[in-house]
Amino acid sequence: IEKRIEALPPEEKARQRQQLAQPVLNDLKAWLEKNRTRVPRDSLTYKAMQYTLNQWELLTGYLADGRLHISNALAENAIRPFAVGRRNWLFADTPRGAKASATVYSLIETAKANGLEPFAYIHHVLQHIGGASTVEEIEALLPWNVTLSKLQEG
């Protein structure tokens, strides 16, 4: 269902989800409620079924808003570099060094989230930050305010 509707605008995506996915999810919920009593309460299967039912509202929340994704894979992929680098960060010599690293990582991931190539974005910022003398000029360098055409202009 998600593959078929991925290119639709958010309002239509939500409508299609409610029409197509809601019945499937309703069947799943009914099946879980009926069958959880058929497995031992101390089994992993029972725990998984009960967890799914306990989280049902969160699991189905994406149906109402076409801007939401069915999966959190995008968020997990965005934080993966932090999880991989966590051990290296233990060796930040000072709190200031750790804060600087966190700032740079945050800026890079925010650039990615805004569709910017990180190296080109950082290069753009370094070229223009020295001439920024007002809050507005600095805010214009934030990832959500920079466009690719600006990056290509240099």
Side-chain angles (χ1 to χ4, degrees):
I1 294 170
E2 289 298 307
K3 193 79 158 160
R4 287 187 302 199
I5 67 172
E6 70 182 331
L8 296 176
E11 300 80 24
E12 179 62 18
K13 193 180 285 187
R15 194 181 72 69
Q16 289 289 321
R17 284 175 175 168
Q18 290 164 8
Q19 181 181 348
L20 302 171
Q22 184 74 59
V24 174
L25 290 166
N26 290 344
D27 289 347
L28 173 62
K29 185 176 184 185
W31 184 89
L32 288 167
E33 288 171 336
K34 176 183 172 189
N35 288 292
R36 72 179 159 178
T37 59
R38 295 180 175 180
V39 296
R41 289 182 67 89
D42 61 343
S43 71
L44 292 177
T45 301
Y46 177 87
K47 290 176 183 175
M49 294 168 86
Q50 190 60 47
Y51 178 82
T52 302
L53 289 169
N54 289 343
Q55 301 298 316
W56 194 257
E57 194 173 314
L58 297 172
L59 174 70
T60 59
Y62 81 101
L63 295 171
D65 189 337
R67 296 170 299 169
L68 300 178
H69 293 275
I70 190 172
S71 166
N72 69 343
L74 293 174
E76 288 189 13
N77 288 340
I79 65 170
R80 185 166 288 114
F82 297 104
V84 171
R86 183 178 18 218
R87 193 172 357 160
N88 295 334
W89 301 336
L90 294 174
F91 300 104
D93 289 342
T94 66
R96 283 184 62 200
K99 184 176 180 179
S101 293
T103 300
V104 170
Y105 278 110
S106 178
L107 194 59
I108 288 171
E109 291 303 317
T110 305
K112 287 181 191 177
N114 282 276
L116 301 173
E117 195 281 316
F119 179 82
Y121 170 69
I122 296 295
H123 185 261
H124 172 79
V125 170
L126 291 174
Q127 281 185 323
H128 294 89
I129 192 114
S133 59
T134 66
V135 171
E136 291 78 16
E137 289 172 341
I138 292 172
E139 287 179 349
L141 296 173
L142 295 172
W144 50 87
N145 292 327
V146 174
T147 62
L148 291 175
S149 62
K150 284 184 187 176
L151 287 177
Q152 292 168 348
E153 292 170 8

